[in-house]
Coordinates of all heavy atoms in Angstrom, one line a residue:
T29 N -9.5 -5.4 10.4 CA -9.2 -4.6 9.2 C -9.8 -5.5 8.0 O -10.1 -6.7 8.2 CB -7.7 -4.4 8.9 OG1 -7.1 -5.6 8.5 CG2 -7.1 -3.7 10.0
P30 N -9.9 -5.0 6.8 CA -10.3 -5.8 5.7 C -9.3 -6.8 5.3 O -9.6 -7.7 4.5 CB -10.4 -4.7 4.5 CG -10.6 -3.5 5.2 CD -9.8 -3.5 6.5
C31 N -8.1 -6.8 5.8 CA -7.1 -7.8 5.6 C -7.3 -9.0 6.6 O -7.2 -8.8 7.8 CB -5.7 -7.2 5.8 SG -5.3 -5.8 4.9
P32 N -7.6 -10.2 6.0 CA -7.9 -11.3 6.9 C -6.8 -11.5 7.9 O -5.6 -11.4 7.6 CB -8.0 -12.5 6.0 CG -8.3 -11.9 4.6 CD -7.7 -10.5 4.7
D33 N -7.1 -11.7 9.2 CA -6.2 -12.0 10.2 C -5.3 -10.9 10.7 O -4.3 -11.1 11.4 CB -5.4 -13.3 9.9 CG -6.2 -14.5 9.6 OD1 -7.3 -14.6 10.3 OD2 -5.9 -15.2 8.7
L34 N -5.5 -9.7 10.2 CA -4.7 -8.6 10.6 C -5.5 -7.5 11.4 O -6.5 -7.0 10.9 CB -4.0 -7.9 9.4 CG -3.0 -8.6 8.6 CD1 -2.4 -7.7 7.5 CD2 -1.9 -9.2 9.5
A35 N -5.0 -7.2 12.6 CA -5.6 -6.0 13.3 C -5.0 -4.8 12.8 O -4.0 -4.8 12.0 CB -5.3 -6.2 14.8
V36 N -5.5 -3.6 13.2 CA -4.9 -2.3 12.8 C -3.4 -2.3 13.1 O -2.6 -1.8 12.2 CB -5.7 -1.2 13.4 CG1 -5.0 0.2 13.2 CG2 -7.1 -1.1 12.8
R37 N -3.0 -2.7 14.2 CA -1.6 -2.7 14.6 C -0.7 -3.4 13.6 O 0.4 -3.1 13.2 CB -1.3 -3.1 16.0 CG -1.5 -4.5 16.3 CD -1.2 -5.0 17.7 NE 0.1 -4.7 18.1 CZ 0.5 -3.7 19.0 NH1 -0.4 -3.1 19.7 NH2 1.7 -3.5 19.2
N38 N -1.3 -4.6 13.1 CA -0.5 -5.4 12.1 C -0.5 -4.8 10.8 O 0.5 -4.8 10.1 CB -1.1 -6.8 12.0 CG -1.2 -7.5 13.4 OD1 -2.4 -7.8 13.8 ND2 -0.1 -7.7 14.1
L39 N -1.6 -4.1 10.4 CA -1.7 -3.4 9.1 C -0.7 -2.2 9.2 O 0.1 -2.0 8.2 CB -3.1 -2.9 8.9 CG -3.3 -2.0 7.7 CD1 -2.9 -2.7 6.4 CD2 -4.7 -1.5 7.6
L40 N -0.6 -1.5 10.3 CA 0.4 -0.4 10.4 C 1.8 -1.0 10.3 O 2.6 -0.3 9.7 CB 0.1 0.3 11.7 CG -1.1 1.2 11.7 CD1 -1.4 1.6 13.2 CD2 -0.9 2.4 10.9
G41 N 2.0 -2.1 10.9 CA 3.3 -2.7 10.8 C 3.7 -3.1 9.4 O 4.8 -2.9 9.0
H42 N 2.7 -3.6 8.7 CA 2.9 -4.0 7.3 C 3.2 -2.7 6.5 O 4.2 -2.7 5.6 CB 1.6 -4.7 6.7 CG 1.7 -5.0 5.3 ND1 2.7 -5.9 4.8 CD2 1.0 -4.6 4.2 CE1 2.6 -6.0 3.5 NE2 1.5 -5.2 3.1
I43 N 2.5 -1.6 6.7 CA 2.7 -0.4 5.9 C 4.1 0.1 6.3 O 4.9 0.5 5.3 CB 1.7 0.6 6.3 CG1 0.3 0.2 5.8 CG2 2.1 2.0 5.7 CD1 -0.9 1.1 6.2
L44 N 4.6 0.0 7.5 CA 5.9 0.4 7.9 C 7.0 -0.4 7.2 O 7.9 0.1 6.6 CB 6.1 0.4 9.4 CG 7.4 0.7 10.0 CD1 7.8 2.2 9.7 CD2 7.4 0.5 11.5
H45 N 6.8 -1.7 7.3 CA 7.8 -2.6 6.6 C 7.8 -2.5 5.1 O 8.9 -2.5 4.6 CB 7.6 -4.0 7.1 CG 7.7 -4.3 8.6 ND1 8.9 -4.1 9.2 CD2 6.8 -4.6 9.5 CE1 8.8 -4.4 10.5 NE2 7.5 -4.7 10.7
L46 N 6.7 -2.4 4.5 CA 6.7 -2.3 3.0 C 7.2 -1.0 2.6 O 7.9 -0.8 1.6 CB 5.3 -2.5 2.4 CG 4.2 -1.4 2.5 CD1 4.4 -0.4 1.4 CD2 2.8 -2.0 2.5
S47 N 7.0 0.1 3.4 CA 7.6 1.4 3.1 C 9.1 1.3 3.1 O 9.8 1.9 2.2 CB 7.1 2.5 4.0 OG 5.7 2.6 3.9
V48 N 9.7 0.7 4.1 CA 11.2 0.5 4.1 C 11.6 -0.3 3.0 O 12.6 0.0 2.3 CB 11.6 -0.1 5.5 CG1 13.0 -0.6 5.4 CG2 11.3 0.8 6.6
A49 N 11.0 -1.4 2.7 CA 11.4 -2.3 1.6 C 11.3 -1.6 0.2 O 12.2 -1.7 -0.6 CB 10.5 -3.6 1.5
F50 N 10.3 -0.9 0.0 CA 10.1 -0.2 -1.3 C 11.0 1.0 -1.4 O 11.4 1.4 -2.5 CB 8.7 0.1 -1.7 CG 8.0 -1.1 -2.2 CD1 7.2 -2.0 -1.4 CD2 8.1 -1.5 -3.6 CE1 6.6 -3.1 -1.9 CE2 7.5 -2.6 -4.1 CZ 6.7 -3.4 -3.2
R51 N 11.3 1.7 -0.3 CA 12.3 2.8 -0.3 C 13.6 2.2 -0.7 O 14.3 2.8 -1.6 CB 12.4 3.3 1.1 CG 13.5 4.4 1.3 CD 14.0 4.6 2.7 NE 14.6 3.3 3.2 CZ 14.8 3.1 4.5 NH1 14.4 3.9 5.4 NH2 15.4 2.0 4.9
D52 N 14.0 1.1 -0.1 CA 15.3 0.5 -0.5 C 15.3 -0.1 -1.9 O 16.3 -0.1 -2.6 CB 15.6 -0.6 0.5 CG 15.9 0.0 1.9 OD1 16.1 1.2 2.1 OD2 16.0 -0.9 2.9
A53 N 14.2 -0.6 -2.3 CA 14.1 -1.1 -3.7 C 14.3 0.1 -4.7 O 14.9 -0.1 -5.7 CB 12.7 -1.7 -3.9
A54 N 13.7 1.3 -4.4 CA 13.9 2.5 -5.2 C 15.3 2.9 -5.3 O 15.8 3.2 -6.3 CB 13.0 3.6 -4.7
R55 N 16.0 2.8 -4.2 CA 17.5 3.1 -4.1 C 18.3 2.1 -4.6 O 19.6 2.2 -4.7 CB 17.8 3.4 -2.6 CG 17.1 4.6 -2.0 CD 17.4 4.7 -0.5 NE 16.8 5.9 0.1 CZ 16.8 6.1 1.4 NH1 17.3 5.3 2.2 NH2 16.2 7.2 1.8
K56 N 17.8 0.9 -4.9 CA 18.5 -0.3 -5.4 C 19.5 -0.7 -4.3 O 20.6 -1.2 -4.5 CB 19.3 -0.1 -6.7 CG 18.5 0.6 -7.8 CD 17.5 -0.3 -8.4 CE 16.9 0.1 -9.8 NZ 16.0 1.2 -9.8
D57 N 19.1 -0.5 -3.0 CA 19.9 -0.9 -1.8 C 19.3 -2.2 -1.4 O 18.5 -2.4 -0.5 CB 19.7 0.2 -0.8 CG 20.5 -0.1 0.5 OD1 21.4 -1.0 0.5 OD2 20.2 0.6 1.5
L58 N 19.7 -3.3 -2.1 CA 19.2 -4.6 -1.9 C 19.8 -5.3 -0.8 O 21.0 -5.3 -0.6 CB 19.3 -5.4 -3.2 CG 18.8 -4.7 -4.5 CD1 18.9 -5.6 -5.7 CD2 17.4 -4.3 -4.3
G59 N 19.0 -6.0 0.0 CA 19.5 -6.8 1.2 C 18.3 -7.3 1.9 O 17.3 -7.7 1.4
A60 N 18.4 -7.4 3.2 CA 17.4 -8.0 4.1 C 16.0 -7.3 3.9 O 15.1 -8.0 3.9 CB 17.9 -7.9 5.6
T61 N 16.0 -6.0 3.8 CA 14.7 -5.4 3.7 C 14.0 -5.7 2.4 O 12.7 -5.7 2.3 CB 14.8 -3.8 3.8 OG1 15.6 -3.4 2.8 CG2 15.3 -3.5 5.2
T62 N 14.7 -5.9 1.3 CA 14.1 -6.2 0.0 C 14.0 -7.7 -0.3 O 13.3 -8.1 -1.2 CB 14.9 -5.5 -1.1 OG1 16.2 -6.0 -1.1 CG2 14.9 -4.0 -1.0
D63 N 14.7 -8.5 0.5 CA 14.7 -10.0 0.3 C 13.6 -10.7 1.2 O 13.3 -11.8 0.8 CB 16.0 -10.6 0.7 CG 17.1 -10.2 -0.3 OD1 16.8 -9.8 -1.4 OD2 18.3 -10.3 0.1
T64 N 13.0 -10.0 2.1 CA 12.0 -10.7 3.0 C 10.7 -10.7 2.4 O 10.1 -9.6 2.1 CB 12.0 -9.9 4.4 OG1 13.3 -9.9 4.9 CG2 11.1 -10.6 5.3
S65 N 10.0 -11.8 2.3 CA 8.7 -12.0 1.8 C 7.7 -11.3 2.8 O 7.9 -11.4 4.0 CB 8.3 -13.5 1.7 OG 6.9 -13.6 1.5
P66 N 6.7 -10.6 2.3 CA 5.7 -10.1 3.3 C 5.0 -11.1 4.0 O 4.3 -10.8 5.1 CB 4.8 -9.3 2.3 CG 5.0 -9.8 1.0 CD 6.4 -10.3 0.9
D67 N 5.0 -12.3 3.6 CA 4.3 -13.4 4.4 C 5.2 -14.1 5.4 O 4.8 -15.1 6.0 CB 3.8 -14.5 3.3 CG 2.8 -13.9 2.3 OD1 2.1 -13.0 2.7 OD2 2.8 -14.3 1.2
A68 N 6.5 -13.6 5.5 CA 7.4 -14.3 6.4 C 7.0 -14.3 7.9 O 7.2 -15.2 8.6 CB 8.8 -13.6 6.3
A69 N 6.3 -13.2 8.3 CA 5.8 -13.1 9.7 C 4.6 -12.1 9.8 O 4.5 -11.3 8.9 CB 6.9 -12.6 10.6
V70 N 3.8 -12.2 10.8 CA 2.8 -11.2 11.0 C 3.4 -10.0 11.4 O 4.1 -9.9 12.4 CB 1.7 -11.7 12.0 CG1 0.7 -10.7 12.3 CG2 1.1 -13.0 11.6
P71 N 3.2 -8.9 10.6 CA 3.9 -7.6 11.0 C 3.3 -7.0 12.2 O 2.1 -7.3 12.6 CB 3.6 -6.7 9.8 CG 2.3 -7.3 9.2 CD 2.4 -8.8 9.5
D72 N 4.0 -6.2 12.9 CA 3.6 -5.5 14.1 C 4.3 -4.1 14.2 O 5.3 -3.9 13.4 CB 3.8 -6.3 15.3 CG 2.8 -6.0 16.4 OD1 2.1 -4.9 16.3 OD2 2.7 -6.7 17.4
I73 N 3.8 -3.3 15.1 CA 4.5 -2.0 15.3 C 5.2 -2.1 16.6 O 4.9 -2.9 17.5 CB 3.4 -0.9 15.3 CG1 2.3 -1.3 16.3 CG2 3.0 -0.5 14.0 CD1 1.3 -0.2 16.5
G74 N 6.3 -1.3 16.7 CA 7.0 -1.1 18.0 C 6.6 0.2 18.7 O 5.7 0.9 18.2
P75 N 7.2 0.5 19.8 CA 6.7 1.6 20.6 C 6.9 2.9 19.9 O 6.2 3.9 20.2 CB 7.6 1.5 21.9 CG 8.7 0.6 21.6 CD 8.2 -0.3 20.5
G76 N 7.9 3.0 19.0 CA 8.1 4.3 18.4 C 7.5 4.5 17.0 O 7.9 5.4 16.2
W77 N 6.5 3.7 16.7 CA 5.9 3.7 15.3 C 5.3 5.0 15.0 O 5.3 5.4 13.8 CB 4.9 2.6 15.2 CG 3.5 2.9 15.9 CD1 3.2 2.5 17.2 CD2 2.4 3.5 15.3 NE1 2.0 2.9 17.4 CE2 1.4 3.5 16.3 CE3 2.1 4.0 14.1 CZ2 0.2 4.1 16.1 CZ3 0.9 4.6 13.8 CH2 -0.1 4.6 14.8
R78 N 4.8 5.8 15.9 CA 4.1 7.1 15.6 C 5.2 8.1 15.0 O 4.8 8.9 14.2 CB 3.4 7.7 16.8 CG 2.2 6.8 17.1 CD 1.3 7.6 18.2 NE 0.2 6.7 18.6 CZ -1.0 6.7 17.9 NH1 -1.1 7.3 16.8 NH2 -1.9 5.9 18.3

Side-chain angles (χ1 to χ4, degrees):
T29 71
C31 306
D33 304 320
L34 293 186
V36 168
R37 69 177 304 114
N38 306 119
L39 175 60
L40 288 165
H42 177 63
I43 293 169
L44 178 63
H45 296 296
L46 78 85
S47 297
V48 169
F50 280 96
R51 175 203 64 198
D52 293 350
R55 294 174 177 169
K56 312 290 195 289
D57 184 10
L58 309 182
T61 60
T62 60
D63 289 343
T64 304
S65 168
D67 299 327
V70 175
D72 205 350
I73 50 172
W77 75 269
R78 290 188 185 277

